[in-house]
Amino acid sequence: MAKQASIQAAPRPGTGKGVARSLRREGKIPAVIYGRGREPEAVSVDTVALTRLLAQVSSATTIVDVSVGPKPPVKALIREIQRNPVRPSDIIHLDLYEVHANEKIIVEVPVKLIGTPEGVKNFGGVLDHGMHSLAIRVFPADIPEHLDVDVTALNIGQSIHVSDISFDNIEIMADARQTICTIVAPRAEE
């Protein structure tokens, strides 16, 4: 199920490049909270607090309680983290998408392959992991950290497609014919 985290934000007085640069000099990251039926709200987040939060959780599947001043916290997903292209460790902007408990949302969730395939263990095949994430539609409380796909029964030449998997309370948005993983024969040496 979805992990919970929280972060403190402050209202941002202005927008634009100049305001964003001065915030970054002060150790803050410009951010925006938006969502269905909500006006976008410009806020700023402490750089150290956000870095610590991102080190502890998966940003794509964690619901974050964002407190902005005296207002009640807003439940949001981190939709985008913009990073400095020269120094990727520096975050330059954050997008937060407000979610509601009674509305399904679409999120990208990692696919985790479980087990050692029969074709790899006994016949020297190679596991080719083609899809590393899947788009799913789900209620915010039901967001999984990852989707577990069991590959132990696969032999050489066999594949698992999107149509072969299903999960409770989750609607997979990807094309049913797409291949998640396959076992290929080892290459012959010349």
Side-chain angles (χ1 to χ4, degrees):
M1 296 306 128
K3 277 191 173 180
Q4 293 280 338
S6 63
I7 194 161
Q8 188 70 34
R12 190 164 31 130
T15 58
K17 250 188 233 183
V19 174
R21 285 184 181 146
S22 65
L23 280 172
R24 287 187 210 106
R25 278 192 298 271
E26 296 170 11
K28 301 202 181 306
I29 297 170
V32 65
I33 303 172
Y34 62 94
R36 190 169 151 221
R38 174 194 180 103
E39 285 293 316
E41 181 179 2
V43 297
S44 64
V45 177
D46 183 62
T47 302
V48 174
L50 180 63
T51 305
R52 205 173 288 144
L53 174 81
L54 293 175
Q56 297 171 354
V57 299
S58 169
S59 62
T61 60
T62 302
I63 296 175
V64 181
D65 286 331
V66 183
S67 300
V68 183
K71 294 188 262 181
V74 173
K75 295 203 179 294
L77 278 172
I78 297 174
R79 274 293 190 207
E80 184 178 9
I81 301 171
Q82 295 174 8
R83 296 183 182 273
N84 184 324
V86 177
R87 291 183 311 264
S89 62
D90 292 353
I91 299 171
I92 57 175
H93 194 270
L94 182 69
D95 285 2
L96 298 162
Y97 181 77
E98 182 181 9
V99 296
H100 301 282
N102 59 352
E103 290 181 15
K104 286 189 174 185
I105 56 172
I106 296 175
V107 292
E108 194 82 14
V109 178
V111 174
K112 183 177 178 184
L113 302 181
I114 305 296
T116 304
E118 197 68 30
V120 170
K121 188 173 17 173
N122 296 328
F123 303 107
V126 178
L127 175 63
D128 183 17
H129 189 174
M131 289 185 77
H132 294 277
S133 63
L134 281 172
I136 61 170
R137 178 179 284 142
V138 65
F139 286 110
D142 296 333
I143 299 172
E145 275 189 70
H146 49 78
L147 298 172
D148 293 335
V149 177
D150 186 14
V151 296
T152 53
L154 291 180
N155 278 309
I156 292 178
Q158 293 182 325
S159 302
I160 295 180
H161 297 88
V162 172
S163 60
D164 299 331
I165 62 171
S166 66
F167 301 95
D168 294 338
N169 304 323
I170 294 174
E171 179 185 346
I172 298 173
M173 304 303 293
D175 182 10
R177 297 172 293 184
Q178 285 185 300
T179 303
I180 294 173
C181 65
T182 188
I183 306 300
V184 293
R187 291 186 187 169
E189 291 186 29
E190 292 184 23

